[in-house]
Each structure stands twice: as C-alpha cells, then as structure tokens.
Amino acid sequence: MSTLQPENPSIERRIALQRVGRIDPESIDDYLAEEGFVALRQLLQSANPDSVIEAVTTAGVRGHGGAGFPTGRKWYFVAKADAPVKYVVCNADESEPGTLKDRLIMEGDPFSLIEAMIIAGFTVGATTGFIYLRGEYNLARHRLENAIRQAEAAGFLGRDILGSGIDFSLHLHSGAGAYICGEETALISSLEGYRGEPRSKPPYPTQSGLWGRPTLVNNVETLVRIPPILRHGAAWYRASGTAGSPGTQIVTLLGDVNWRGVVEVPFGISTRRLIDDVGQGVKGGALKLVQSGGSSGGIIPPEWLDLPLDFDSGRAGVVLGSGALLVCNAHRCVVDLTTVVMAFFRAESCGKCVPCRVGTVELHTLLQRLTEGRGTLRDLSLLETMGAMVKRTSFCGLGITAPNVLLDGLRHFRDEYIAHARDHRCPAAVCAMQDSAWGELPHLATVG
Amino acid sequence: MSTILLTIDDRKVHGESGETILSVARQHGIPIPTLCQLQGASTFGGCRLCLVEVEGIAHPVSACNTPIKAGQRVTTQSPALRADRQMVLELLFAERNHYCAVCVQNGDCELQSAAAQAGMDHVRCPYLSPSLPVDASHAQYVLDHNRCILCMRCVRVCAEVEGAHTWQMAGRGIEARLVADNGVPWGESTTCTSCGKCVHLCPTGALYRKGASVAEMQKKRGFLLRILEGRELGRTGEEPTDDFLVPTVEIRS
Ligand SMILES: Cc1cc2nc3c(=O)[nH]c(=O)nc-3n(C[C@H](O)[C@H](O)[C@H](O)COP(=O)(O)O)c2cc1C
Ligand code: SF4
Ligand code: SF4
C-alpha cells in the first residue's frame, strides 16, 4: 500500500484528505495553523445551527458509509426531534474489505473529526458524542485519544466551549471485531452493551437510537466534509462532482494495478481513469473485472469501465459503496473470488435471521464444491435461486448485499461458472480441481 | 392514535397507527405464517416467514415489524412468497438435525406444521448435519441444540416476562448457540427459576420436559397472555371476569 503522494490536481481534489500527510496529527497547533477549528469558532459566534443544515443541504453532501443518504436531511431530522437528550455517533467501524479511507483520515487528521462532531452536536442539539472505532485500528485509537485530550485541554471539548455556553463531550469506544457492528442499529446495540445485532427500522436512529434517544449516525468521511463546507461555502463544494453527487469521494484502489492506495477524486470519474491515471494501469495481464464497493458491492465488467462512479450509478449496475475498487487481471478466477467473498459473509453474519445465517453457509458450501471440481449444474441453479432469495429476504443490509458479487458474477461471467460446474474446469487455472472421479460423487448421491 | 385504512389481500381493513401489518392481519382473520413471533413478548424479526408484499416496495417485507400506513396495499399469498417461505424452511431444516420421527415434539411442533402448511416437501440444499450437544443437566428440562432454530422466544420470555435473564445467544452466524447464564450447563444456572415458560413456548422440540419420549411432549401455549392479562388486572385494580377465573393453565412437571 502506497502512502499519499503529492496531490495531482488534474485528477484529484482533496477535501476530506486536505491535511492528511501535511500536518503532525498529534499536534493541535499544527491543526490550528491549517484553519483548524475556524468553522467551529465562526459557528459558535453566529450561534445559528440552522445555517449548518442549510449549508450541508445546499452542498448536497450524501453519506459516505455506503448508503448515500442525504446528510442535510438526516441532520434536520435529529435537529427537529423533540427530546431532552440526543446523541451524535461517528461510525468509524470501517470493516468493508479493501476500504481504508476512514483509517487514513483518523490517523492523519484526527482533529478534523473532532471539530466536525462538535459542530454536529451543536447543530442537532446533542451534548454527548461517541466514536465507534473498529477494534483493530490501534494507531487511529491512539491518535484520537490524544486529539480528544488536547482538544479538551484547549477548551474545544467539555463544558462551555470557548465561552459559548455550549457543552459537548466526546467518548471513544473500540469495537470487538464484528463487521455487523458497522450497521447503524447493530452499532447502537453494541454501544449500549448488548449483542451486536441489528434492530428493526423504523424506528430509525434519528427518531429513536442510542438508549432510545434521537441519534445522528454518520460515517467519518461524511463528517469531516462539513467544516470545510462551512468555511468555503456550498458552491465551492459543488464545484466538482455531478449534480446528484456533488463534491468528492475517497477511493481505495487495490489489486492488480501498478499503484495501489487511497485517493480523493471528484464524483463522476470513470473506473477507467482511476485505473489508468491513478493506478498507472493494470498489472500482470489484461483487465478482467473490477470489484467495487468492497465485498458487499458488485462487479464492474470491462464493458462498463467508462460509466461514471457516483451514488446514482448503482442504477446502471456499478456500485460505489465504500469506495473500494479491487482490480482483477485475466489470471484471476471469478468463482474463486465469489467463494472468498462468501466466506467473509458466512463468518460475519450475526445469526439473527435465517436467510443470512444459513443461506451464506449454504452458498459458500455450494461455491466451494465448484472450486473443488465437485459441483453440478444443479448446484449452479440453486446458487442463483438461493442468492436471489437471501438478497430479497434478509433482515439487514449484510444479508441483502452478501449475494451481490455472486449474482453479478453469474450475470457477467456465466460461462466461467458453467465451466466449473459442468466440465470441472477452471478457465483461469486458479481453482485446484480434484480428480473427476471424486467430482462425480455428489452427483451419484443426489441422483440416489 | 388514529385509525388507518389499508388493503390486505384485496380486503379493506383498518388498524391503529403504530400497529404492524401482522397484528392488523390477524385481527381480521387473515393468516400469515410466523415462527419467531410470540404474542406477549417483544418483536424479533429473525425467522422471515411472515414476509408479505407491499405495493411500491421492490422486495418483500416482514409483517411482524412493518408498521401499517394509510392506503398500503398488502399481499400475503403469492407464488413468489410461497417460494421464499419454502426456502426459509428448507434452510432451517438443513441447518441442524431435525428428525421428526424420533422427536419428542412430533405432531405438536410449530416448525413441522409451518413446513406442512408452506408445502415444503423436500430440501434442495446440502444438510449441514452439525454435531451438537444435548444439555440434560437441568432437573426437569432438557435443551437439545440439534432442534433449536434460534428464534429467541425463550430468551425474550425469560427476560421480559419471568425477569430471570437466564438465556442468552452466544457466538455469531452459524456458530450462534443458546447459552444459560453466559455459558454454564442449564442445571448449574443460578438465575433459572425452573418456571418452564421457555420450555412451553419453544416452537420445536429443542426445549422439553425430561422423561418425555417420542411425540409425547405437548406444549401449553396459552398461558403467557393470561399471565400478562392478570398482571394488567393487578395494575389497574379491575375485577377479573368469570372468563379469566376459569383455570386453563396447567404446567406439567
Ligand atoms: C453490514 C453493514 C456494515 C456497515 N458498515 C459500515 C461501516 O463500517 N462504516 C460506516 O460508516 N457505515 C457502515 N454501514 C452503513 C451504516 O449502517 C450507516 O448507513 C452509516 O453509518 C450512515 O452514515 P452516513 O449517512 O454518513 O453514510 C454498514 C451497513 C451495513 C448494512
Ligand atoms: S442479514 Fe440477518 S443474520 Fe445477516 S447480519 Fe443482518 S440480521 Fe444478522
Ligand atoms: S431453544 Fe427453542 S425457543 Fe429457544 S431459541 Fe431455540 S428454538 Fe427458540
């Protein structure tokens, strides 16, 4: 993984990553010297929380946690909720495979997240905030703990912030390594001390979240966009991106490319430009596919490389999700890829609902048979039926997205699955097929 | 509270705001299959059997936790729903070891009858056949993990009605297991009051009375609402009706 290189203005625009790599993330003085806490100071002076909602709404910020929900609307819902206590929660559980954006922000610019959360608290009327941090993120935890201490000492956190009469305290909570705790209602259960399992929506967290109070849950990358928007205005933010997805998006580029790393680009850029201009081309062979949005995302076939990447491109079949792009060259096997993805969901399903708890295990079992040369065409048709069923019927987003890569794979690379199932052959020569005599056994068993 | 009008299976029905599709359907005698749902305990939403179609929503929704809305058009029976419900049941039968012919609950099992009603006559996916223990350490009752469908009824009724909080779910995904007192044999639990509520509300033969042999376990299911009704009478100070005083609850041990 390469670290950040100097910004290349012909393709990049750094907003969320503006300070990362340029300041000492352990020094509040460095942060203050780079326009740190300017937006907060101005806001506390103007004492006009509605102006924040207006700016965020006009800027068109949408959630970077995966779902793309309009951030201004979410803030408005919590702000107008009538309750004596409200909370602000930062979703920093970043567990989507191949996604490293929130980590880079928290390790490289932790004060920006703190400033954004204080602004969020002031705007919606919350005096307590929580950061739910992925358990494995040790450096980020260290940097955030340090930043919270320094911000408290400097009067930005705690009681009567900068003499404004506003209070806000911030607490850091480390997760215990479950992917499901990134789902906002499971995160809330976990934060309350319960088993990390999703809850029914409605009620949405904006109405009844943490301890039954209206709660604002936002992703790290979403939050850190707010202070620069308040400083420079919505028009400045909208200067890049598309009409439906204004601004920028952090992309984690991985796999068979010559340069791998994290880059912030305007929305609407094509996958091809990211691979060619940022990734410096495909490594080790021709391009076969790009897996976008992490394990819960989808597959971009070569024919779709020129489609723009934004929140609405999902309609065309290109899933942006967490911004992860895994590039695969011609030596990769799509059935192998699907099996690895399904193993992830099998391990991460919380177990609450039947389709996801059992379905991911069955799908993984059937896929493993294919990669071992023990599959049948009947298995293949069951994979397709069950994959669609798990997607349709699961309780939460985990089960709903778990079959995405499988279903996209079957849509774009059906011949490769058929070669595994019928001919017990792996065209990319990745899967270690067993002796065909063994491959016939399940056949005989099911025929009776 | 305000009255809401909606349509379920082409019938005009009404409910109060805040009610779920399931509860309104039941009040109007429209059957929707369920397994984890337990009247008198909180909603869980895990079994996915109560899926229904709502006009304008692309995927089916679970009736037990979806609130009614004015003008909603709900369909409870369709070939697609039947197929999805069948596959949910297939997955449950494939997950653990359900051998009705040798089960204490044969003939009085909610999983078995749900499968019969849904027309689930075979299982297409591989049986996972896990090796699971049977916990017979309790003096009166047995927990057979092989037949547990993780519906959380026992967990909910133990916590919400009995107040003992004996049962919990441990482990994740396919490794999820019911545990007493965070992982001791049931007989060593210091919180269990041996009230038997979990046993009688468990939909399958996972929880049963010791000594029951094949097809001998008959579960009492009606007592929960009577207990809650009695508590409500106690709270309001109202006189119980004659109807309420007729004893129908009898828990064998
Ligand atoms: C299985 C699952 C995992 C998720 N993981 C994360 C995560 O790690 N980080 C995150 O910000 N959002 C995650 N989400 C999305 C959250 O539920 C929620 O939509 C998001 O935190 C809202 O913030 P936003 O509006 O700023 O995007 C996940 C969702 C699902 C269904
Ligand atoms: S889809 Fe169901 S089993 Fe899977 S994580 Fe969500 S609630 Fe848990
Ligand atoms: S023991 Fe019975 S009631 Fe408890 S979770 Fe298992 S099937 Fe449900």
Side-chain angles (χ1 to χ4, degrees):
Chain A
M1 180 64 51
S2 312
T3 47
L4 276 183
Q5 297 171 327
E7 183 173 346
N8 170 2
S10 73
I11 189 159
E12 295 180 60
R13 181 175 178 215
R14 291 188 192 166
I15 296 173
L17 295 179
Q18 55 180 336
R19 296 188 197 83
V20 176
R22 295 202 300 113
I23 64 164
D24 174 0
E26 305 204 357
S27 157
I28 195 168
D29 294 330
D30 264 33
Y31 183 69
L32 288 165
E34 292 272 344
E35 295 194 293
F37 291 116
V38 169
L40 176 67
R41 259 185 228 279
Q42 284 170 353
L43 180 64
L44 291 178
Q45 267 157 23
S46 79
N48 183 5
D50 294 345
S51 68
V52 180
I53 295 180
E54 200 186 306
V56 174
T57 307
T58 317
V61 181
R62 292 171 65 175
H64 287 257
F69 189 83
T71 306
R73 276 232 317 270
K74 201 186 263 188
W75 287 37
Y76 171 73
F77 288 148
V78 183
K80 76 162 189 199
D82 183 23
V85 176
K86 301 176 190 178
Y87 296 107
V88 171
V89 174
C90 170
N91 189 341
D93 193 46
E94 190 170 64
S95 312
E96 191 63 55
T99 310
L100 300 156
K101 62 193 184 70
D102 299 343
R103 172 178 167 184
L104 202 64
I105 294 169
M106 292 184 288
E107 289 179 359
D109 192 10
F111 291 99
S112 69
L113 180 58
I114 291 172
E115 180 177 1
M117 289 192 70
I118 304 167
I119 291 172
F122 175 63
T123 306
V124 302
T127 55
T128 311
F130 294 90
I131 301 175
Y132 191 99
L133 182 67
R134 175 175 174 166
E136 292 90 341
Y137 279 4
N138 288 324
L139 182 59
R141 182 170 64 236
H142 166 77
R143 297 250 158 99
L144 283 168
E145 276 169 355
N146 172 67
I148 290 172
R149 259 196 315 273
Q150 290 191 29
E152 281 169 352
F156 292 106
L157 277 176
R159 296 207 161 273
D160 192 19
I161 295 169
L162 306 177
S164 64
I166 303 292
D167 303 335
F168 193 75
S169 66
L170 193 52
H171 308 274
L172 191 60
H173 180 94
S174 280
Y179 171 71
I180 187 60
C181 289
E183 196 283 336
E184 55 189 4
T185 60
L187 185 155
I188 286 169
S189 301
S190 169
L191 209 49
E192 289 176 356
Y194 293 104
R195 180 177 165 82
E197 254 179 25
R199 298 175 177 177
S200 300
K201 290 192 270 192
Y204 291 92
T206 50
Q207 309 157 252
S208 171
L210 191 59
W211 294 298
R213 307 294 192 169
T215 304
L216 180 73
V217 183
N218 270 132
N219 173 256
V220 177
E221 186 189 344
T222 313
L223 285 167
V224 297
R225 291 174 181 280
I226 310 304
I229 288 172
L230 296 185
R231 285 200 308 275
H232 303 291
W236 166 85
Y237 189 71
R238 295 192 78 103
S240 44
T242 61
S245 310
T248 56
Q249 155 86 354
I250 307 180
V251 168
T252 313
L253 194 61
L254 295 156
D256 300 320
V257 274
N258 289 305
W259 182 88
R260 298 192 270 178
V262 179
V263 64
E264 184 170 358
V265 290
F267 276 113
I269 192 174
S270 70
T271 315
R272 188 186 305 281
R273 272 205 82 193
L274 278 165
I275 294 175
D276 291 348
D277 297 353
V278 179
Q280 293 161 25
V282 183
K283 194 170 69 178
L287 178 85
K288 176 167 184 168
L289 60 90
V290 180
Q291 204 230 301
S292 68
S295 293
S296 64
I299 289 179
I300 304 177
E303 310 89 82
W304 292 4
L305 284 186
D306 293 309
L307 292 179
L309 284 172
D310 62 28
F311 282 125
D312 302 313
S313 52
R315 277 185 227 133
V318 184
V319 179
L320 186 62
S322 68
L325 288 181
L326 176 71
V327 178
C328 295
N329 68 25
H331 301 295
R332 310 289 173 181
C333 166
V334 70
V335 183
D336 178 57
L337 173 75
T338 318
T339 312
V340 171
V341 166
M342 202 55 76
F344 171 76
F345 287 113
R346 170 191 178 137
E348 295 298 338
S349 165
C350 81
K352 172 168 182 156
C353 75
V354 179
C356 170
R357 179 181 76 231
V358 194
T360 53
V361 176
E362 292 288 355
L363 292 171
H364 181 245
T365 307
L366 292 166
L367 282 164
Q368 259 182 329
R369 282 192 191 172
L370 294 190
T371 61
E372 290 165 4
R374 297 186 296 117
T376 63
L377 283 177
R378 185 178 160 279
D379 290 347
L380 198 55
S381 98
L382 186 56
L383 273 168
E384 195 153 29
T385 314
M386 195 186 284
M389 178 270 184
V390 170
K391 182 168 184 60
R392 229 180 4 251
T393 62
S394 287
F395 184 91
C396 86
L398 191 149
I400 291 169
T401 56
N404 280 355
V405 172
L406 166 67
L407 295 173
D408 275 7
L410 283 165
R411 175 174 171 192
H412 301 298
F413 297 91
R414 182 171 290 273
D415 289 351
E416 206 168 326
Y417 288 85
I418 293 177
H420 284 75
R422 188 188 57 200
D423 312 330
H424 298 166
R425 190 175 60 82
C426 174
V430 170
C431 301
M433 298 303 211
Q434 296 182 359
D435 191 282
S436 66
W438 289 99
E440 295 304 322
L441 271 179
H443 253 314
L444 297 176
T446 45
V447 169
Chain B
M1 280 282 172
S2 61
T3 302
I4 287 181
L5 300 174
L6 64 154
T7 312
I8 304 183
D9 292 344
D10 295 326
R11 270 181 62 188
K12 297 230 179 313
V13 297
H14 59 88
E16 296 297 319
S17 67
E19 277 193 286
T20 63
I21 295 177
L22 180 66
S23 107
V24 172
R26 290 219 166 134
Q27 286 163 39
H28 288 82
I30 301 169
I32 297 176
T34 57
L35 265 178
C36 68
Q37 192 268 347
L38 179 62
Q39 218 182 338
S42 62
T43 300
F44 181 57
C47 78
R48 315 310 285 160
L49 218 55
C50 69
L51 293 168
V52 295
E53 289 162 2
V54 174
E55 202 176 85
I57 303 181
H59 53 85
V61 302
S62 38
C64 69
N65 63 352
T66 303
I68 51 166
K69 275 194 194 143
Q72 216 170 28
R73 300 186 70 85
V74 180
T75 307
T76 70
Q77 306 293 335
S78 74
L81 288 172
R82 189 178 161 88
D84 282 344
R85 289 177 188 151
Q86 282 181 351
M87 191 168 267
V88 164
L89 288 158
E90 284 179 57
L91 290 171
L92 278 176
F93 276 94
E95 181 182 18
R96 294 197 175 181
N97 303 302
H98 297 280
Y99 298 106
C100 302
V102 294
C103 179
V104 287
Q105 208 61 45
N106 193 1
D108 184 43
C109 171
E110 293 180 51
L111 177 63
Q112 192 181 47
S113 57
Q117 263 170 33
M120 190 222 88
D121 49 14
H122 67 299
V123 172
R124 284 166 288 177
C125 50
Y127 282 98
L128 302 178
S129 308
S131 288
L132 294 171
V134 177
D135 181 351
S137 59
H138 192 282
Q140 286 150 277
Y141 309 120
V142 181
L143 161 60
D144 185 347
H145 288 282
N146 294 284
R147 300 172 186 148
C148 172
I149 58 169
L150 304 174
C151 70
M152 298 285 280
R153 280 193 191 180
C154 55
V155 176
R156 284 176 283 155
V157 78
C158 181
E160 296 166 12
V161 183
E162 180 62 7
H165 297 268
T166 302
W167 294 121
Q168 270 302 333
M169 208 50 77
R172 195 160 74 204
I174 200 74
E175 308 291 337
R177 301 281 183 272
L178 185 64
V179 290
D181 284 6
N182 286 338
V184 301
W186 192 2
E188 289 169 26
S189 161
T190 52
T191 59
C192 174
T193 62
S194 302
C195 74
K197 289 187 180 68
C198 59
V199 174
H200 284 271
L201 294 168
C202 171
T204 73
L207 294 175
Y208 61 94
R209 186 172 39 78
K210 231 177 209 177
S213 182
V214 176
E216 278 185 1
M217 186 68 196
Q218 290 263 315
K219 291 196 173 172
K220 306 286 170 195
R221 298 190 176 86
F223 69 92
L224 184 60
L225 290 180
R226 283 183 64 86
I227 291 178
L228 297 175
E229 200 183 324
R231 285 185 189 176
E232 187 62 16
L233 289 174
R235 197 180 62 79
T236 58
E238 277 174 43
E239 287 297 316
T241 58
D242 291 349
D243 208 23
F244 182 78
L245 294 174
V246 179
T248 58
V249 190
E250 152 232 350
I251 294 184
R252 296 180 298 179
S253 276

